[in-house]
Amino acid sequence: MDHSQDLNVLKKCYRIYTEDKHYSRTLETVESYFSGFTVYRECNGLWHGIQEESLVIEIITTEDKFLLVKQCAEQVKNVNEQVSVLLTVHNIETYNL
């Protein structure tokens, strides 16, 4: 079976790492930018030696959405009253099955 039409090579996986401080407001913030994303909860992070409950927000979209993801991450930072959040970008291949 040929899956070449299902392959999207230009996708990016963006992840925002943030403190789980205001969960509902964080979700509302991300949802105001993107209609689909994944949240990994019950993570533990360490910032300057202090342990905190964390969230990882995963957004899979195209490379041209980087600035929108960055704006979203900045808003998440403000909502959770943080000094900084971590934004990572990964190249991925997606298959629509």
Side-chain angles (χ1 to χ4, degrees):
M1 179 178 260
D2 180 18
H3 289 282
S4 61
Q5 293 178 359
D6 299 329
L7 178 63
N8 298 312
V9 294
L10 299 178
K11 295 286 184 167
K12 297 284 186 177
C13 177
Y14 299 96
R15 291 191 183 122
I16 302 168
Y17 296 78
T18 184
E19 184 176 2
D20 188 358
K21 193 169 185 179
H22 301 291
Y23 183 73
S24 294
R25 287 180 44 210
T26 299
L27 293 186
E28 289 171 9
T29 299
V30 178
E31 196 170 18
S32 73
Y33 287 88
F34 299 97
S35 61
F37 54 91
T38 300
V39 177
Y40 301 96
R41 203 169 184 194
E42 304 295 327
C43 302
N44 290 311
L46 205 63
W47 175 251
H48 292 286
I50 299 171
Q51 186 172 342
E52 62 185 18
E53 292 183 11
S54 302
L55 294 175
V56 179
I57 302 159
E58 185 175 79
I59 304 162
I60 296 175
T61 189
T62 53
E63 184 174 17
D64 64 324
K65 298 289 193 267
F66 174 75
L67 291 178
L68 192 62
V69 174
K70 186 175 178 247
Q71 289 173 355
C72 178
E74 289 169 351
Q75 287 299 317
V76 166
K77 179 182 87 169
N78 293 336
V79 164
N80 287 320
E81 304 162 7
Q82 293 189 273
V83 173
S84 67
V85 297
L86 176 64
L87 173 60
T88 62
V89 183
H90 310 272
N91 295 319
I92 62 169
E93 293 180 353
T94 62
Y95 293 89
N96 297 318
L97 303 176

